Amino acid sequence: MEGPDNPLFLLSTSRGQIYIEMLPAEAPANAARVMALARGEIEITDADNGFSFTPAYYDGQRFHRTLPGFVIQAASPAYHPLGGPGELLADEINADALGLDTEQVLTADASVNALLNITDEEAFVAEVLTPLYAAMNIDDAAELAARQDEVYTRLQSLTVKSLYELQGHRYVDRFATRAISRGVVALANSGPDSNGAEFFIALADVPSLTGRYTVIGRVAEGMAVADEIGATAIDAESFSRLSTVIYSFDEIESAAAPTAATQ
């Protein structure tokens, strides 16, 4: 445990147990909602019949998406009988604490910053140039040709934080934020400010995800189980019987966590 006062949850799965230390100080609203969902404190209405339930939301869910050496992802509303928890929450990410305000999109040798994980021209156009043109109100080739020098100057000074903001991300400066590294638990999303119940566990350091996903916790013990879950690739587009089942996601007393003598 990094902090003895942090809530500790036990994720029991069909492949073993993972202890997750929640980090409410780093993402108060999002961490609180995930914990409330796990405890069965949030009422969810079944759209088909109008009945409301307060389920232990994660019990019975699956790791529906696994990318070996990258992430394992669970709790898709598409596979929950009640769907999602309703309101989507805003991100809680401090880009300055991550140093993204000092990272340039283009490095000194004019290559693309490795943080962006952009490997081809098509991706560069889609992820960098298109939002930049939109911000500069450049709508056609003639306008672009007339403002080439201005675009180049703007591109040279563009930071990773500024680029992400052009893509729609909004940042806060009142919370600590950590990078997406091995063992970090963060919320999956479909774009900025679209956090629900779905989460992933990073199996490696993933700088390209840092600053774009809200961190809510960390694996305190059980990364070997997470690695086992992620050993087989699972395509999120279709249900797979190979996916790992979550039996329960329960809060426990910190003292009940395994010690060095029992691990």
Side-chain angles (χ1 to χ4, degrees):
M1 297 284 287
E2 286 185 358
D5 294 329
N6 285 336
L8 183 65
F9 279 70
L10 176 57
L11 187 69
S12 296
T13 80
S14 55
R15 292 186 183 270
Q17 297 179 327
I18 302 173
Y19 288 87
I20 294 178
E21 178 181 3
M22 301 299 292
L23 302 170
E26 298 183 24
N30 284 285
R33 211 255 294 272
V34 168
M35 291 188 288
L37 286 167
R39 296 173 184 136
E41 297 173 347
I42 293 181
E43 187 175 88
I44 301 176
T45 301
D46 186 340
D48 292 334
N49 58 37
F51 295 138
S52 295
F53 304 88
T54 52
Y57 186 86
Y58 295 99
D59 296 5
Q61 287 279 66
R62 291 175 176 264
F63 281 92
H64 63 283
R65 179 175 185 251
T66 64
L67 298 170
F70 188 62
V71 301
I72 56 175
Q73 192 165 319
S76 167
Y79 295 124
H80 196 289
L82 298 178
E87 177 189 9
L88 298 178
L89 300 184
D91 292 319
E92 293 172 300
I93 304 171
N94 185 338
D96 292 357
L98 295 169
L100 299 183
D101 59 325
T102 62
E103 290 282 350
Q104 299 297 126
V105 169
L106 297 182
T107 63
D109 63 359
S111 60
V112 181
N113 194 314
L115 288 175
L116 299 175
N117 194 32
I118 293 175
T119 58
D120 57 53
E121 183 178 351
E122 183 179 355
F124 183 75
V125 170
E127 298 178 34
V128 179
L129 294 184
T130 297
L132 178 60
Y133 294 160
M136 297 177 67
N137 296 314
I138 295 175
D139 300 322
D140 54 44
E143 180 76 7
L144 176 59
R147 301 174 64 187
Q148 281 188 32
D149 291 344
E150 184 183 349
V151 169
Y152 184 66
T153 299
R154 180 79 177 270
L155 190 57
Q156 283 187 311
S157 64
L158 192 64
T159 65
V160 172
K161 175 187 176 181
S162 296
L163 173 63
Y164 287 164
E165 288 176 327
L166 293 181
Q167 294 174 353
H169 293 277
R170 296 180 298 166
Y171 294 110
V172 297
D173 57 10
R174 59 189 183 276
F175 308 127
T177 297
R178 65 187 66 201
I180 307 289
S181 59
R182 177 171 165 80
V184 158
V185 183
L187 293 177
N189 63 46
S190 58
D193 299 330
S194 60
N195 297 306
E198 193 170 346
F199 67 89
F200 66 85
I201 299 174
L203 302 179
D205 296 352
V206 193
S208 62
L209 301 184
T210 295
R212 298 195 292 152
Y213 296 87
T214 296
V215 173
I216 58 166
R218 59 176 290 272
V219 173
E221 174 65 26
M223 274 307 296
V225 175
D227 288 334
E228 184 179 350
I229 294 171
T232 301
I234 302 291
D235 184 357
E237 295 303 315
S238 59
F239 176 81
S240 173
R241 295 186 181 277
L242 298 176
S243 57
T244 299
V245 179
I246 295 174
Y247 292 147
S248 61
F249 191 25
D250 297 320
E251 187 170 10
I252 62 172
E253 294 296 329
S254 297
T259 64
T262 60
Q263 291 174 9

